[in-house]
């Protein structure tokens, strides 16, 4: 029988240590978190393993299923997951990616956690949603010391204990967030859910929530209109007496990506909640949670960019066309190097902001973090979808096929720009920070100007930015452009100070020098693409 099918010129499977990432290693080295390096590589090898890649595939192909009632007609409001969802969650929790840093006395615990989150997110993005929310819930919950004392140790536990039970009886807890309503979206002050005092220290909540993240969580932070105005509340799924809190899961959202994770519409049917913070100060209370999840949005986007760049470089290294490997063809090298540069700029900025989270007693660091986080969340998350599309295209038709993993990365990429405030919300939040906290502008430029004199193109960009900010006319109309410029000079300053010369020079020559097109792969002649691409070879 003649041979009719021979497999040649196909790329070998990619298994690697995700933590073998020079930009990440350099960022961790700038903190006091050297103690986390061995654990990073342990997580990295697992994240890049064939086993975990298979977990990831299965949890996305076998999506969560809502079970509103049992066979007898009793309301149960449960979400059923593929078993490997729990495997992924167990790894994340056991490594302290949720709230563990809040009770970790080791130096740079939050920067270490950010590095682990960045590494493990490359395994599967959907399950990191409840992990992120649990991390972010702690500082908000501390507005009610009694609730914090009761639940914080369990939120910070490194034991994953799935199941519907009274929270204080469990070995570890997962927290969700429930703010958005169908008539309001980001305008949470338009929320109509009501909360009336019950006379025993609790409140009764009635209303509908349009997006409730991770509805299988043990408890939720939510916003509702109390007599004193919009307020923040903690609602457990199981009440202290063991009965179920009447939080009704109406349906799961049918989403573009993030398919492994359950997002839901819910109704509070006289649900029991406890006030967190003061009545009328719900937004101020829950903003502590939002600021931390916004950091995870940037980290998640940076993680996806790194994954896309590594996969593209791996494919181009092993795939041949027109007589040589794709990676050795000048135009493909241009594209790949540009993808690597974008990913490195994203991780540098995200990890710098994570490091500021460990310096909560330093007023200048917190002022820098307030503004820097808003601009970085805007820009890094905005770049991720374009980056994913270009990385996918490096595979040609193979990248458009689900088996490559690239379509899932592509569908996931827009989420981080929407979650916790879409692009306009993030840009306007940056303007709000500058207006309400002028010290944040000074702190931002103090950080950027640490690179002064390192590259004339960066210096010129900083000068132009200062002029843009001094012109207050139509500033809101120009917000995206201004915030983009702020993000770029922050990234540029970090790369000039810390990255290899080839990376920093290419970044400044394109993002500031005007010698750059509108698409990835338009780096100028003379760029050391080989040195840049080498940083994404695994």
């Amino acid at each position: 029988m003649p041979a009719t099918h021979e497999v040649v010129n196909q790329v070998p499977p990619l298994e690697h240590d995700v933590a073998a990432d020079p930009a990440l290693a350099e960022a961790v080295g700038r903190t006091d978190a050297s103690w986390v390096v061995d654990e990073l590589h342990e997580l990295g090898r697992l994240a890049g393993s064939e086993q975990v890649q298979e977990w990831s595939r299965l949890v996305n192909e076998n999506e969560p299923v809502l079970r509103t009632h049992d066979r007898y007609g009793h309301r149960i409001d449960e979400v059923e997951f593929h078993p490997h969802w729990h495997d992924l969650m167990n790894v994340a929790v056991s490594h302290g990616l949720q709230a563990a840093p809040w009770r970790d006395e080791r130096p740079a615990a939050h920067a270490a956690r950010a590095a682990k989150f960045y590494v493990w997110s490359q395994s599967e993005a959907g399950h990191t949603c409840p992990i992120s929310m649990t991390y972010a819930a702690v500082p908000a919950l501390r507005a009610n010391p009694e609730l914090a004392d009761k639940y914080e140790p369990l939120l910070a536990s490194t034991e994953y204990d799935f199941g519907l039970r009274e929270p204080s009886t469990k070995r570890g807890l997962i927290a969700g967030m429930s703010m958005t309503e169908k008539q309001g979206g980001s305008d949470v002050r338009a929320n109509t859910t009501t909360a009336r005092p019950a006379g025993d220290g609790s409140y009764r909540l009635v209303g509908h929530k349009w997006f409730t993240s991770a509805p299988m969580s043990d408890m939720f932070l939510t916003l509702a209109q109390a007599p004193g105005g919009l307020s923040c509340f903690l609602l457990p799924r199981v009440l202290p007496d063991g009965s179920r809190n009447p939080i009704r899961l109406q349906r799961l959202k049918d989403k573009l990506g993030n398919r492994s994770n359950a997002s839901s519409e819910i109704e509070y049917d006289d649900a029991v909640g406890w006030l967190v913070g003061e009545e009328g100060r719900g937004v101020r209370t829950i903003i502590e949670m939002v600021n931390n999840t916004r950091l995870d949005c940037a980290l998640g986007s940076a993680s996806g960019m790194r994954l896309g760049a590594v996969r593209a470089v791996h494919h181009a290294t092993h795939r041949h066309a027109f007589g040589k490997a794709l990676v050795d063809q000048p135009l493909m090298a241009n594209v790949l190097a540009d993808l690597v540069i974008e990913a490195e700029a994203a991780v540098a900025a995200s990890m710098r902001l994570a490091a500021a989270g460990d310096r909560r007693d330093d007023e200048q660091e917190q002022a820098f973090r307030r503004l820097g986080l808003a601009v970085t969340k805007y820009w890094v998350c905005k770049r991720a979808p374009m980056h994913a599309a270009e990385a996918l295209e490096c595979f040609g038709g193979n990248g458009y096929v689900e088996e490559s993993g690239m379509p899932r990365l592509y569908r996931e990429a827009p989420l981080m720009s929407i979650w916790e405030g879409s692009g306009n919300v993030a840009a306007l939040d940056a303007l709000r920070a500058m207006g309400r906290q002028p010290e944040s502008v000074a702190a931002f430029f103090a950080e950027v100007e640490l690179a002064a004199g390192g590259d004339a193109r960066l210096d010129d960009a900083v000068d132009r930015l200062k002029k843009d900010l001094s012109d207050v006319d139509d500033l809101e109309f120009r917000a995206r452009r201004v915030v983009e410029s702020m993000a770029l000079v922050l990234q540029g300053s970090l790369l000039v100070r810390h990255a290899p010369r080839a990376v920093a020079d290419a970044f400044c020559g394109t993002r500031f020098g005007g010698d750059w097109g509108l698409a990835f792969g338009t780096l100028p002649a003379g760029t050391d693409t080989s040195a840049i691409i080498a940083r994404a070879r695994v």
Side-chain angles (χ1 to χ4, degrees):
M1 181 176 180
T4 60
H5 183 82
E6 184 180 1
V7 177
V8 295
N9 197 28
Q10 283 291 327
V11 177
L14 173 60
E15 291 187 67
H16 69 296
D17 177 359
V18 172
D21 177 345
L24 176 65
E26 291 156 9
V28 171
R30 296 192 286 272
T31 73
D32 295 323
S34 59
W35 53 268
V36 82
V37 170
D38 288 344
E39 187 180 357
L40 277 179
H41 287 287
E42 177 188 343
L43 265 178
R45 288 187 292 271
L46 189 57
S49 69
E50 181 182 7
Q51 178 192 44
V52 170
Q53 289 180 52
E54 182 68 359
W55 290 358
S56 177
R57 180 184 71 82
L58 288 170
V59 299
N60 280 277
E61 290 183 3
N62 299 274
E63 299 174 19
V65 176
L66 174 61
R67 308 293 187 193
T68 56
H69 296 77
D70 67 13
R71 59 182 292 190
Y72 305 106
H74 301 122
R75 188 96 198 199
I76 57 173
D77 295 294
E78 289 280 15
V79 179
E80 185 178 287
F81 291 87
H82 189 280
H84 287 320
W85 166 272
H86 302 297
D87 291 329
L88 291 162
M89 288 289 291
N90 185 58
V91 173
V93 171
S94 66
H95 283 272
L97 272 65
Q98 35 31 293
W102 299 107
R103 301 179 72 83
D104 192 336
E105 296 182 356
R106 288 175 293 183
H110 290 276
R113 179 261 173 194
K116 289 189 287 185
F117 186 88
Y118 167 85
V119 166
W120 184 243
S121 293
Q122 293 179 53
S123 68
E124 198 284 316
H127 80 288
T128 63
C129 170
I131 294 297
S132 178
M133 285 232 246
T134 306
Y135 171 67
V138 169
L141 193 59
R142 287 177 176 176
N144 184 323
E146 183 179 349
L147 292 176
D149 288 345
K150 184 176 182 179
Y151 294 124
E152 186 176 316
L154 293 169
L155 291 166
S157 169
T158 51
E159 291 192 67
Y160 176 60
D161 187 7
F162 183 80
L164 193 60
R165 300 190 301 281
E166 199 278 312
S168 64
T169 68
K170 300 186 70 174
R171 301 187 307 277
L173 300 176
I174 297 296
M177 183 190 297
S178 185
M179 291 197 296
T180 307
E181 297 186 5
K182 54 183 172 287
Q183 78 286 343
S186 296
D187 184 11
V188 294
R189 295 189 185 279
N191 283 6
T192 60
T193 296
T194 60
R196 56 181 175 79
D200 60 358
S202 67
Y203 287 71
R204 298 296 183 270
L205 278 70
V206 175
H208 183 94
K209 293 293 179 177
W210 194 234
F211 272 95
T212 292
S213 301
M216 69 293 171
S217 300
D218 297 293
M219 53 183 55
F220 305 93
L221 284 172
T222 193
L223 293 174
Q225 300 287 355
L230 190 64
S231 306
C232 181
F233 297 90
L234 180 73
L235 278 70
R237 288 184 67 207
V238 179
L239 297 171
D241 64 3
S243 64
R244 295 191 179 202
N245 209 355
I247 302 172
R248 312 302 189 195
L249 305 188
Q250 301 300 93
R251 64 171 176 167
L252 300 185
K253 295 291 192 179
D254 186 7
K255 298 170 293 184
L256 168 68
N258 208 243
R259 308 290 293 189
S260 69
N261 179 43
S263 301
S264 66
E265 295 174 31
I266 68 168
E267 286 188 1
Y268 297 135
D269 185 10
D270 226 24
V272 180
W274 283 268
L275 185 65
V276 179
E278 302 174 22
E279 278 196 11
R281 297 176 67 84
V283 173
R284 179 178 289 272
T285 300
I286 213 164
I287 201 68
E288 285 293 324
M289 189 175 192
V290 171
N291 280 336
N292 285 289
T293 46
R294 282 179 175 172
L295 174 60
D296 280 359
C297 288
L299 285 165
S301 291
S303 176
M305 288 191 211
R306 171 65 182 180
L307 180 60
V310 166
R311 284 181 174 176
V313 168
H314 177 75
H315 179 87
T317 298
H318 295 278
R319 182 78 166 179
H320 288 71
F322 309 113
K324 57 183 176 181
L326 290 175
V327 73
D328 295 327
Q329 307 209 25
L331 189 53
M332 178 60 81
N334 196 323
V335 173
L336 295 171
D338 216 356
L339 291 174
V340 173
I341 291 166
E342 193 73 27
E344 296 214 359
V347 71
S350 300
M351 285 299 298
R352 173 64 184 90
L353 291 161
D358 286 302
R359 303 166 190 157
R360 293 179 182 268
D361 296 329
D362 185 323
E363 292 183 2
Q364 177 157 319
E365 278 290 283
Q366 294 316 297
F368 161 70
R369 185 176 185 272
R370 172 68 182 91
L371 182 53
L373 182 56
V375 301
T376 298
K377 196 276 182 190
Y378 168 79
W379 182 241
V380 169
C381 298
K382 189 64 68 182
R383 294 293 285 168
M386 292 176 277
H387 192 280
E390 196 68 63
L392 182 154
E393 190 174 324
C394 291
F395 287 65
N398 291 318
Y400 206 68
V401 175
E402 288 291 340
E403 288 174 324
S404 72
M406 297 305 289
R408 190 171 72 239
L409 180 66
Y410 180 72
R411 289 192 298 269
E412 200 73 38
L415 175 60
M416 295 297 100
S417 189
I418 297 169
W419 194 33
E420 302 303 48
S422 58
N424 283 354
V425 173
L428 293 173
D429 187 51
L431 298 191
R432 188 178 303 109
M434 289 187 278
R436 295 180 179 176
Q437 296 176 266
E439 65 274 15
S440 68
V441 180
F444 178 87
F445 280 108
E447 172 70 22
V448 167
E449 288 171 347
L450 291 173
D455 190 290
R457 295 161 297 190
L458 171 62
D459 293 341
D460 290 344
V462 173
D463 289 341
R464 290 195 300 272
L465 174 60
K466 289 180 177 178
K467 291 177 182 176
D468 281 345
L469 290 176
S470 67
D471 180 7
V472 297
D473 292 338
D474 301 319
L475 189 56
E476 183 174 327
F477 184 80
R478 296 183 288 115
R480 284 190 174 217
R481 181 64 181 136
V482 169
V483 172
E484 173 184 323
S485 298
M486 296 181 76
L488 288 171
V489 299
L490 174 59
Q491 290 180 333
S493 71
L494 290 166
L495 295 179
V496 166
R497 289 160 56 199
H498 304 301
R501 186 63 203 171
V503 174
D505 186 62
F507 184 92
C508 291
T510 52
R511 277 65 171 175
F512 305 131
D515 195 6
W516 195 38
L518 297 178
F520 284 107
T522 54
L523 300 173
T527 299
D528 190 351
T529 57
S530 295
I532 297 168
I533 292 170
R535 290 171 65 82
R537 288 187 189 273
V538 294

